[in-house]
Amino acid sequence: MKNISEKTLLAVKAAEAELAAVFAKFDGTAKTVAEKILTAFYDNRVSEAHLHGTTGYGYDDRGRDTLERIYAQVMGCEAALVRSSIVSGTHALAIGLFGLLRPGDTLLSVTGKPYDTLDEVIGIEGEAGSGSLSDFGVRYEQTDMKNGFIDYEKVEKRLHKGGVKVVFVQRSKGYAADRRTLPVEEIGRLAKIVHGFDNVYLVVDNCYGEFVQTSEPVAFGADLQIGSLIKNPGGGLCRTGGYLAGTKKAVELCSYRLTSPGIGAEVGASLEENRNMYQGLFFAPTVVASALKCAALASYLFGKAGFRVSPSYGEERYDIIQTVDLGSEENICAFCRGIQSGSPIDSYVTPEPWDMPGYTDRVVMAAGTFTSGASIELSADAPIRPPYTVYFQGGLTYETGRIGIMRAYDEVVK
Ligand SMILES: *Cc1c(COP(=O)(O)O)cnc(C)c1O
């Protein structure tokens, strides 16, 4: 391979020999999930007609309706909305929250502060009058995690006081390096508590979590799980979109926010996106396994080189994110340069730190992706601040992702 040092090639060879059992585990999960997905295709008698879309109102869009049944079956719940008209994960989450919450209700986040982009949705940040949940009289409270776990006792105590309509969980650590990503089993334990109370929904931000385990949060009792189609479940083929999956009641309420009351899920032309959404789901378990292998390889290499990594290479994984504390701005830029130069698109471009709107620190990003901003594809980003942590994720194929990682390793460990 061009431009990779002999030293790095040898290090990767040794790493891959050591990682064989770890990789086999990812492949095992992918096999189980792939079986579920293919079974759902069989059960719903997918035919070529489903791959074509509708225009206008999109009445009787068989492709869309069948795909939503397939998602529900695969995730293990009653219903789903899977739409290319959902512009991002944040939009899908906003649909979920506005769909379920009413004036006077309380939203209780039990994994600390939610993902940054939700601040203005909830009304923690931003100007009053923008139409946030807070503007509509929805109250916000949070309980922080305790030693990396949900503080179940505190949550139960709060629920006893009443007023909470939505208990909100962010499964992935996202860009909070100091917390754990949650396995579905722990979300299941929370679901048991939440369902001891009437009229409370458990909603999960499932971004980056799909198909990393053999089961999903809704199968463990969550009322709703929400994600982006340019992350895991889109399999790298969805060009845009988001999904919500859960109970019939929760999904129906969200459908009135997706379109409008009285209309719900029965409209929404799929245009020509159905094929990508079916085929993307079909590929998703394999693509997620590739991303996990890339994460484990990076963890192994940079861990052995003396950097603090999370998770460590052999640790159980519940999302596709890998962090590496690189210790300096120089190393962060070197890492991102390497990832960028090993990407299929814009490999000749040099990423530089910049003042991104909405962020306090400068941020540097590497993303040479087919789909703009798709983080199921090999990508990395890092705010320039101690301990100089880079967040790394994706890799549509392990065979190409490993090249980006080798280039990053070469750049950092000269
Ligand atoms: C990606 C992500 C979101 C949504 O982000 P978008 O960029 O709007 O798709 C929300 N929560 C978490 C944990 C995420 O990783």
Side-chain angles (χ1 to χ4, degrees):
M1 186 67 202
K2 218 173 126 193
N3 295 337
I4 292 171
S5 71
E6 200 57 38
K7 199 176 121 205
T8 295
L9 289 170
L10 283 172
V12 168
K13 204 169 164 194
E16 286 175 336
E18 285 278 326
L19 288 167
V22 174
F23 285 10
K25 212 171 150 215
F26 299 148
D27 289 334
T29 302
K31 280 177 190 156
T32 305
V33 178
E35 258 180 52
K36 268 201 239 185
I37 290 172
L38 204 50
T39 301
F41 274 56
Y42 300 153
D43 292 351
N44 288 280
R45 301 170 64 96
V46 175
S47 67
E48 197 190 338
H50 290 106
L51 308 181
H52 299 295
T54 55
T55 57
Y57 294 122
Y59 289 132
D60 298 319
D61 190 318
R62 282 179 55 209
R64 178 198 68 209
D65 294 346
T66 304
L67 183 68
E68 290 181 340
R69 279 198 295 276
I70 288 173
Y71 258 70
Q73 182 170 336
V74 168
M75 301 303 181
C77 59
E78 294 171 345
L81 299 166
V82 186
R83 304 282 168 132
S84 59
S85 59
I86 297 176
V87 303
S88 67
T90 304
H91 184 197
L93 287 157
I95 290 167
L97 295 176
F98 277 99
L100 300 180
L101 289 156
R102 298 291 177 267
D105 290 342
T106 295
L107 164 64
L108 176 67
S109 170
V110 298
T111 42
K113 197 184 81 60
Y115 197 71
D116 282 356
T117 57
L118 291 180
D119 287 0
E120 293 191 42
V121 173
I122 297 167
I124 302 170
E125 288 278 347
E127 279 172 39
S130 64
S132 67
L133 287 166
S134 163
D135 276 350
F136 285 95
V138 173
R139 298 190 182 94
Y140 172 73
E141 292 176 32
Q142 73 182 44
T143 59
D144 293 325
M145 293 172 77
K146 203 168 125 190
N147 306 321
F149 291 82
I150 292 170
D151 193 339
Y152 300 102
E153 265 173 53
K154 208 166 176 185
V155 172
E156 188 163 6
K157 234 188 228 159
R158 176 60 193 85
L159 289 175
H160 272 296
K161 279 190 3 195
V164 174
K165 172 74 76 64
V166 168
V167 171
F168 184 82
V169 172
Q170 182 183 309
R171 179 176 173 193
S172 167
K173 66 176 173 255
Y175 296 133
D178 52 352
R179 61 156 278 199
R180 274 169 72 242
T181 291
L182 301 178
V184 289
E185 291 79 3
E186 288 173 30
I187 294 171
R189 180 171 164 195
L190 178 69
K192 286 212 177 75
I193 293 169
V194 171
H195 291 149
F197 297 83
D198 288 335
N199 205 24
V200 186
Y201 297 95
L202 176 57
V203 175
V204 180
D205 172 354
N206 201 39
C207 283
Y208 289 133
E210 295 86 1
F211 310 145
V212 174
Q213 294 183 267
T214 53
S215 294
E216 297 293 318
V218 284
F220 272 74
D223 293 282
L224 204 57
Q225 68 177 57
I226 299 171
S228 164
L229 296 190
I230 61 168
K231 293 181 180 173
N232 306 15
L237 285 185
C238 284
R239 299 192 295 183
T240 183
Y243 82 92
L244 301 93
T247 62
K248 193 163 172 289
K249 190 175 164 202
V251 169
E252 188 180 333
L253 285 169
C254 294
S255 78
Y256 297 139
R257 175 74 192 188
L258 169 76
T259 62
S260 82
I263 293 178
E266 281 163 41
V267 300
S270 55
L271 304 174
E272 290 306 321
E273 293 305 317
N274 278 341
R275 176 186 301 276
N276 290 333
M277 295 207 277
Y278 277 92
Q279 203 172 357
L281 181 64
F282 179 83
F283 275 120
T286 311
V287 171
V288 169
S290 293
L292 290 169
K293 288 175 193 175
C294 289
L297 178 66
S299 179
Y300 186 96
L301 288 173
F302 285 91
K304 293 277 177 200
F307 295 100
R308 209 176 82 92
V309 293
S310 177
S312 61
Y313 70 88
E315 218 175 306
E316 287 288 338
R317 284 175 191 268
Y318 308 118
D319 65 17
I320 62 168
I321 298 177
Q322 178 67 45
T323 65
V324 184
D325 293 351
L326 286 164
S328 70
E329 172 168 351
E330 200 185 321
N331 277 345
I332 278 187
C333 291
F335 186 97
C336 290
R337 245 188 347 262
I339 294 293
Q340 186 75 35
S341 72
S343 299
I345 313 296
D346 292 338
S347 61
Y348 55 88
V349 165
T350 306
E352 305 268 4
W354 64 300
D355 286 303
M356 214 167 106
Y359 289 80
T360 21
D361 302 287
R362 284 178 307 142
V363 179
V364 59
M365 299 181 162
T369 57
F370 290 95
T371 296
S372 178
S375 45
I376 186 61
E377 300 188 46
L378 191 71
S379 49
D381 35 68
I384 309 285
R385 63 164 178 251
Y388 300 99
T389 303
V390 71
Y391 296 81
F392 161 88
Q393 66 273 314
L396 291 180
T397 69
Y398 174 68
E399 291 72 13
T400 52
R402 69 194 279 281
I403 293 169
I405 295 161
M406 285 194 267
R407 312 259 324 211
Y409 187 74
D410 242 6
E411 289 278 349
V412 175
V413 190
K414 281 228 174 74

